[in-house]
């Protein structure tokens, strides 16, 4: 990029054209009918947060009073984003503390109970904070309910390629919904999968039923973006466009993602093995292996999490979430000791 002598002139409101093309193709696959038929409006956003915020502003202006349903629990900033955009929200059941797994029946019941035409915020892959994702069969049932209730799905895709190591596998949920002809909001981020945290690179996508509708929605997203931040940053957008546009760089990136995702899977397995070896009670710790992505939801309470920090000097969020990206193989035994002590000895 330095050799090309590219400048720092403003981008258009919707962002870098090469980035927008690349990000839509990464999300859906280059040969997807949605892209070939021009049924997607893509606007470069300020990473995941900014892309969610732009979509929330669109919802507030053009779907006033419509409630967004978010999972319980969800990423903490979802509530802040919706509150600041003036969008009402409520929660649907997601985490089952008894199984440390998905409360699928509760999730479906809450979606069915919501007023027709509600917006359902879903994590495309690697649910944050639980690491618990629906299976492919469950995604299809969720799509059935959303269609029956005339809801709109709103995907937050912050970890594409970083959960399973495969860009395609991690976009499976979004692609299955899009293949049904459903209208969708999708926010994307390149913070985790390309390490562009400080560049603030992401996108707001709206998948529609016609190219005419996509053009109109894109124009309204631009109207919202102009007074909000005027136009997005160029440097990180060029990095994404260059990496995706160069076959050698693209292959290198995919290999590195597989390496990173693979390492996280290895420490997940090692932590599980250590817990099983050290805990003689016969407790089932397999939920750790069923979770995916950077995080593991341990099922520890706030007081148990505080014991992890105060006694064992293990630093984690108070909801029991640990980042496996910060865990080395050598520390898995120590972490298992801390978890077992906190689980059994703290009320």
């Amino acid at each position: 990029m330095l050799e090309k002598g590219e400048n720092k002139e403003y981008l258009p409101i919707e962002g870098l054209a090469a980035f927008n093309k690349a990000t839509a193709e990464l999300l859906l696959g280059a040969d997807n009918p949605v892209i070939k038929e021009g049924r997607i409006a893509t606007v470069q956003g300020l990473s995941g947060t900014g892309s969610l915020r732009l979509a929330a502003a669109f919802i507030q202006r053009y779907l006033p009073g419509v409630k967004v349903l978010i999972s319980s629990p969800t990423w903490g900033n979802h509530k802040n984003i919706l509150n600041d955009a003036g969008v009402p929200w409520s929660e649907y059941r997601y985490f089952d503390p008894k199984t440390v797994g998905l409360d699928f029946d509760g999730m479906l019941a809450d979606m069915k109970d919501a007023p027709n035409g509600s917006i359902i915020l879903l994590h495309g892959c690697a649910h944050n904070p639980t690491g618990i994702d629906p299976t492919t069969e469950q995604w299809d049932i969720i799509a059935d309910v959303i269609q029956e209730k005339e809801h709109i799905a709103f995907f937050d895709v912050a970890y594409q390629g970083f959960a399973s190591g495969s860009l395609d596998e991690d976009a499976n949920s979004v692609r299955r919904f899009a293949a049904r002809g459903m209208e969708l909001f999708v926010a994307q981020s390149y913070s985790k999968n390309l390490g562009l945290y400080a560049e603030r690179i992401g996108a707001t996508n709206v998948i529609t039923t016609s190219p005419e509708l996509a053009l109109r929605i894109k124009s309204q997203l631009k109207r919202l973006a102009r007074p909000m931040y005027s136009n997005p940053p160029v440097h990180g957008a060029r990095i994404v466009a260059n990496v995706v546009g160069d076959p050698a760089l693209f292959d290198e990136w995919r290999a590195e993602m597989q390496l990173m995702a693979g390492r996280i899977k290895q420490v997940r397995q090692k932590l599980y093995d250590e817990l099983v070896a050290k805990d003689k009670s016969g407790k089932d710790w397999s939920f750790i292996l069923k979770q995916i992505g950077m995080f593991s939801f341990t099922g520890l309470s706030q007081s148990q999490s505080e014991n992890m920090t105060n006694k064992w000097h293990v630093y984690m969020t108070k909801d029991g979430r640990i980042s496996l990206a910060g865990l080395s193989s050598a520390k898995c035994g120590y972490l298992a000791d801390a978890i077992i002590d906190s689980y059994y000895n703290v009320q």
Side-chain angles (χ1 to χ4, degrees), residues 159-166 170 192-193 257 260-261 264 293-294 325:
Y159 300 96
Q160 189 182 350
F162 202 72
S164 68
S166 162
D170 289 348
K192 323 302 185 300
N193 58 10
M257 266 190 294
M260 293 294 285
I264 289 172
M294 279 173 65

Side-chain angles (χ1 to χ4, degrees), residues 276-290:
V276 170
K278 291 171 184 287
D279 181 5
K280 306 303 181 194
S281 73
K283 175 177 164 58
D284 182 8
W285 294 97
S286 64
F287 62 83
I288 287 172
L289 299 179
K290 291 172 187 163

